Amino acid sequence: MTRQLKILAVCTGNICRSPMVERLLQKDLDALFPSTFTVTSAGTRAIVGAPIDPLVHQFIQEAGGQTSNFSARQITASMIDDQDIILALTRDHRNTIVKLSPKALRRTFTLREACVLVANDLVPRESPPTDNDAHQLWASFPSRAGRLRVAPSERHNPDVIDPYGKHQEIYNQMKAEILPSVATLVNWTKGADYPRHAD
């Protein structure tokens, strides 16, 4: 492994959904594979320089994530091209990303789409993955994603709801969509389903 693998989360204003993904995914990956991943975020119509939305700030802290040193950023083509994986929070965000940088198509997924794909990518392991294993798992994911794709299901919504400017119930729904998605990606990375030998 020569460098950290870069993951970018993208939403609209970059103060609600993508910062939550950024801070919680970074926290959980760091706990397992320190210095292996860099997770950042940006917005398609960012409120540049803004802090994290207050309620999302609370959600992140309650989940043990860090909320310091955050400043909302506007996404750019050069930013996209520098990433290994891009996790859009909705299909509209994904479309905007690909318009900015068409070559990013194979590396760009909605967060919830990625979770469906990794459910079909459980590789049995004889032992827990090393830092290098985890890095290679993510690095090679775009090349495997084509064969992992499944037919769209009416029951599966690939978008995370946008709570900005809405009631707390919508914020709670966003939280309920993001937390399991982050957990799914972390469990896939750490090999939660690798065979365990009986004592």
Side-chain angles (χ1 to χ4, degrees):
M1 185 176 67
T2 58
R3 63 170 180 81
Q4 292 184 330
L5 187 136
K6 298 178 181 179
I7 303 167
L8 178 69
V10 178
C11 68
T12 305
N14 194 211
I15 63 172
C16 291
R17 291 168 288 179
S18 56
M20 189 167 178
V21 174
E22 170 196 340
R23 295 304 170 104
L24 298 185
L25 186 57
Q26 185 75 71
K27 172 185 72 74
D28 290 347
L29 290 175
D30 278 350
L32 295 163
F33 309 103
S35 302
T36 302
F37 297 92
T38 298
V39 187
T40 56
S41 65
T44 59
R45 296 194 300 274
I47 307 171
V48 176
I52 298 171
D53 176 275
L55 195 50
V56 175
H57 185 282
Q58 176 185 329
F59 288 161
I60 293 171
Q61 289 194 326
E62 288 173 351
Q66 295 293 323
T67 53
S68 59
N69 301 317
F70 179 86
S71 180
R73 303 186 302 164
Q74 174 67 29
I75 196 167
T76 64
S78 61
M79 188 186 300
I80 293 167
D81 292 342
D82 192 43
Q83 306 300 313
D84 296 294
I85 299 283
I86 304 158
L87 299 174
L89 274 293
T90 71
R91 287 163 290 183
D92 284 344
H93 299 138
R94 183 180 61 194
N95 291 342
T96 298
I97 291 161
V98 173
K99 285 179 183 177
L100 282 171
S101 179
K103 63 184 178 182
L105 175 63
R106 61 186 295 274
R107 295 178 284 119
T108 304
F109 310 88
T110 71
L111 174 69
R112 301 180 82 185
E113 174 192 20
C115 291
V116 171
L117 294 175
V118 301
N120 297 316
D121 193 40
L122 297 177
V123 180
R125 299 184 178 99
E126 292 299 323
S127 60
T130 64
D131 290 358
N132 192 61
D133 291 336
H135 185 284
Q136 289 301 317
L137 182 69
W138 279 84
S140 62
F141 182 67
S143 65
R144 301 195 308 279
R147 67 173 176 78
L148 297 171
R149 291 191 186 278
V150 295
S153 168
E154 292 182 1
R155 298 175 57 188
H156 172 68
N157 180 1
D159 299 339
V160 172
I161 195 168
D162 184 0
Y164 185 66
K166 300 183 176 68
H167 296 296
Q168 181 161 352
E169 290 79 5
I170 305 301
Y171 277 85
N172 290 339
Q173 182 178 340
M174 175 207 69
K175 178 182 176 181
E177 292 173 354
I178 287 178
L179 290 182
S181 298
V182 170
T184 294
L185 295 178
V186 172
N187 286 335
W188 168 70
T189 308
K190 72 180 181 180
D193 290 348
Y194 70 80
R196 290 167 172 78
H197 299 292
D199 292 335

